[in-house]
Amino acid sequence: MKVKKYRGTPYHLWNPFTPMVEFQSMMDIGPSVIHRGDGPYVYNGKGKRYINGFSCLWNVAVGHGRKELVEAAASQMQELAFASCFRQSHPRAIELAAKLIDITSGNFNRVYLGSNGSEAVETALKMARQYFKQSPDPSDKSRFKIISLKGAYHGVSYGVLSTSGLEADAEKFGPLLPGFLQIPPPYCYRCPYDKAPYPECGLACAHALEKLIIKEGAETIAAFILEPIMGSYGIIDPPDKFYTVVGEICQKHGLLFITDEVTTGFGRTGKLFASQDWEIQPDILCLGKAISSGYVPLSATLATEKIYERFQKEGQQFEHGSTASGHPVCTAVGLRNIDIIIQEKLVDNAANVGLYLRNKLEKLRENHGIIGDIRGRGLMIGLELVKDRASKTPLSSSEVFDHAVDTAISGLLAYSRGSILGLFPPLIIDRAIADEIVGILDKSLNASIPAKMARKARLAKEFVGTRLFK
Ligand SMILES: Cc1ncc(COP(=O)(O)O)c(C=O)c1O
């Protein structure tokens, strides 16, 4: 296959999760290649401006171009570019760990630092397994199974990938790892149990956890893991009571409760952490993405003192780590980034502007039958698009992608996956930007004949001659 060129440079880059042929046919078009970022906006090579409606990969919480973060990185590189955390430490890693303990619920006391969300969760799973293997109670030693929500996205490495339970993952990479089990997701709009809406449903989705534990034998289960709001699967946002019920079931059967806040952490849902007020606190908390606003790779896995203590006897240390665990530059930037989130009250902003945006979207829904459901919290909002509300027939992923392309033409980058159009804008956006987002969606989701023709014309103008324009 001939190597294409982007502005004269041979394109040898193999992009993640990307259909390369289609992508390369569009490299000079729209937001395919981003050259610059500023606050809530990103710009392509021709200088066209886009609202960064899903914060690049849900991570650029404080927006682009923050001089404080540039300075934190530069001065840390001057002082100490690298030192490892293997039988060593350095001040920024120590300070970041202390800060994370300080700002989380009070339930955690120990912090493992990593480079990305997959590593944070992989760490949690290995920690849970080693924890039980080292139990003084011999009956705990066979606890190795991990239960998750079907369709969960906890990352790409084999352990975390095996949590998804998706046939598509097994088809491509199978066999996935043994010992990974799933319960159906708490997807109220399309209840997997065909129950009446909450509370009449009795939270069958949460009680499914206990049924599975009993079927498998509690003495074989190490942990249950969830995302407070399932992101990739479609912004699946269960009632609060769901977290209490599954937390209680974990406690009752002696398994660890792991919460993956890689996406929801650091203000995204209008709380600093989505799980901070849960009646039953997780034993392990995974953080990533907005921990550094994407400026550098960074993640963290927080554990309780009870877990940590089990790793203290001779020969029982946590056998895990990677070169960049607790990287000085990444921890320096993470520290400064967390300060910005707190000092600039971005969590309150996410709650307030998120509510404003949500209300406007609910109004939009009244006029646009294509919006089947609106879900999420704070600035993590998903619109499930349907052919019509009565049948709830989902739009195909290519139809939703066409809408995302169309909003991009109008200057808004929206996330699309399956029948979901997602909004995860930077936490710094104000009401004016929220209005702009709603205006663009209003235009794109309008199902009237003239609006559809106008949308087709917009797509044709930009994409004619590419594989995308059919
Ligand atoms: C909830 C959740 N966990 C883990 C990950 C994996 O994070 P990373 O892509 O940084 O490895 C993601 C990424 O989207 C995520 O949304």
Side-chain angles (χ1 to χ4, degrees), residues 244-385:
T244 310
V245 174
V246 294
E248 283 170 351
I249 293 169
C250 289
Q251 284 191 342
K252 179 173 160 197
H253 294 280
L255 38 145
L256 296 180
F257 182 21
I258 304 173
T259 300
D260 174 357
E261 291 227 37
V262 167
T263 292
T264 54
F266 299 98
R268 172 62 50 205
T269 67
K271 288 184 176 182
L272 191 52
F273 299 100
S275 64
Q276 67 192 22
D277 302 322
W278 289 358
E279 282 177 72
I280 309 290
Q281 279 296 304
D283 301 290
I284 303 178
L285 178 70
C286 305
L287 303 173
K289 291 197 191 270
I291 189 173
S292 62
S293 284
Y295 280 66
V296 287
L298 180 65
S299 66
T301 308
L302 278 61
T304 60
E305 192 65 11
K306 184 175 157 214
I307 293 177
Y308 176 77
E309 272 170 3
R310 194 167 288 172
F311 291 78
Q312 302 316 309
K313 286 204 186 123
E314 210 188 320
Q316 295 197 333
Q317 69 192 23
F318 190 28
E319 283 296 325
H320 182 72
S322 66
T323 304
S325 302
H327 192 290
V329 178
C330 303
T331 45
V333 173
L335 276 162
R336 192 70 196 91
N337 170 67
I338 295 169
D339 283 347
I340 293 175
I341 290 175
I342 292 171
Q343 285 161 9
E344 295 186 5
K345 298 193 176 11
L346 296 185
V347 184
D348 290 346
N349 193 59
N352 296 334
V353 180
L355 186 62
Y356 177 81
L357 178 58
R358 177 69 178 255
N359 289 337
K360 289 243 156 180
L361 291 170
E362 294 289 354
K363 277 247 160 308
L364 203 64
R365 186 172 177 269
E366 287 169 18
N367 301 323
H368 296 315
I370 190 176
I371 305 177
D373 195 24
I374 304 180
R375 303 190 282 268
R377 301 180 190 202
L379 285 174
M380 180 170 184
I381 302 177
L383 309 180
E384 178 151 358
L385 303 186

Side-chain angles (χ1 to χ4, degrees), residues 17 57-58 115-121 153-157 160 226-232 260-264 286 288-289 298-299:
F17 290 104
L57 277 178
W58 316 350
S115 303
N116 56 58
S118 305
E119 185 183 353
V121 184
Y153 186 75
H154 294 295
V156 290
S157 51
V160 295
L226 55 63
E227 302 158 74
I229 299 177
M230 296 174 82
S232 298
D260 174 357
E261 291 227 37
V262 167
T263 292
T264 54
C286 305
K289 291 197 191 270
L298 180 65
S299 66

